[in-house]
Amino acid sequence: MYTTEDTYLNGCFYLESSCFFRVFVYILISNFFTISAAKTQTYFKGPLHCAMSIYKERGLLGFYKGGVAMAYREIPSFGIYCLSYEYLSAKMHDYKLTDDNGVIASLVSGGIAGSLTWASIIPFDVIKTRYQADFTGEYRGFMHCAKMLYKEGGVRIFYTGCLVTCLRAFPVNAVTFTIYSQTLKYLEK
């Protein structure tokens, strides 16, 4: 059986191993949707146009802008995610608050784990998104971006979109962990 530390560290580092590839996708998403929605600049005609603009403006490394900021967000979040799911699921089983297959425990634990994780890391996500979508060079780095955001809107700005994100996270993560746990049970047979 894994210890609490094992579960947290496994979440932090094993799930985070794909960060190198995911940062590319996140930079496209951050730029495409943030700039397109703000309409403060000429917006992108589509994801391919966005990718070409990033490459033209920043080169290949432009796709990895904010990679460190993303790691600040992702590494602890995956640890919190796995640890909170395992803890809640175990408690629900201990108190017999689930069905024989553990589906209810997976749904509830997964949903809460996802929402709790997003609530805890949303400030890093706000900073990362703003920093990655900065085509004007306004921010000199992650910490400079955080300071400028604080000046713009105080602590409250770091929780922009938190409620909506947590509400979205519940069903997504409830289903994710239920499929995960039921697949593990099936494969163990």
Side-chain angles (χ1 to χ4, degrees):
M1 190 67 175
Y2 290 111
T3 66
T4 303
E5 293 84 14
D6 289 337
T7 302
Y8 179 77
L9 291 174
N10 284 338
C12 286
F13 296 106
Y14 294 117
L15 289 173
E16 183 47 27
S17 61
S18 65
C19 184
F20 179 78
F21 301 103
R22 282 195 333 271
V23 73
F24 176 82
V25 173
Y26 280 110
I27 193 109
L28 285 175
I29 291 169
S30 294
N31 281 279
F32 183 69
F33 288 111
T34 304
I35 292 174
S36 294
K39 296 194 188 222
T40 57
Q41 301 177 359
T42 304
Y43 62 93
F44 302 113
K45 296 174 186 165
L48 186 58
H49 182 238
C50 180
M52 290 177 1
S53 297
I54 291 169
Y55 183 75
K56 184 178 178 183
E57 179 92 14
R58 303 176 185 161
L60 189 58
L61 289 178
F63 292 106
Y64 294 94
K65 179 181 180 182
V68 173
M70 187 170 160
Y72 286 152
R73 180 191 81 169
E74 300 278 312
I75 292 173
S77 75
F78 283 132
I80 294 166
Y81 187 54
C82 292
L83 185 60
S84 58
Y85 170 77
E86 290 294 334
Y87 177 81
L88 292 167
S89 182
K91 289 299 178 190
M92 288 190 73
H93 281 88
D94 289 349
Y95 291 105
K96 310 230 184 297
L97 299 173
T98 190
D99 58 295
D100 292 338
N101 293 321
V103 172
I104 294 172
S106 292
L107 285 169
V108 172
S109 302
I112 292 172
S115 294
L116 176 67
T117 299
W118 272 107
S120 68
I121 60 141
I122 198 81
F124 292 105
D125 188 61
V126 169
I127 299 164
K128 176 203 72 75
T129 301
R130 285 281 194 101
Y131 180 63
Q132 286 181 326
D134 175 29
F135 258 85
T136 64
E138 178 181 356
Y139 307 120
R140 294 188 302 264
F142 179 77
M143 291 305 293
H144 182 254
C145 181
K147 288 175 188 174
M148 297 303 289
L149 286 173
Y150 183 76
K151 283 181 183 178
E152 180 183 325
V155 172
R156 190 174 187 161
I157 200 167
F158 295 110
Y159 291 91
T160 303
C162 186
L163 179 61
V164 172
T165 300
C166 290
L167 289 173
R168 177 199 54 86
F170 192 93
V172 168
N173 291 284
V175 171
T176 298
F177 269 114
T178 302
I179 292 170
Y180 166 77
S181 66
Q182 295 304 306
T183 301
L184 283 181
K185 283 182 183 180
Y186 175 78
L187 292 174
E188 289 173 351
K189 289 182 182 180

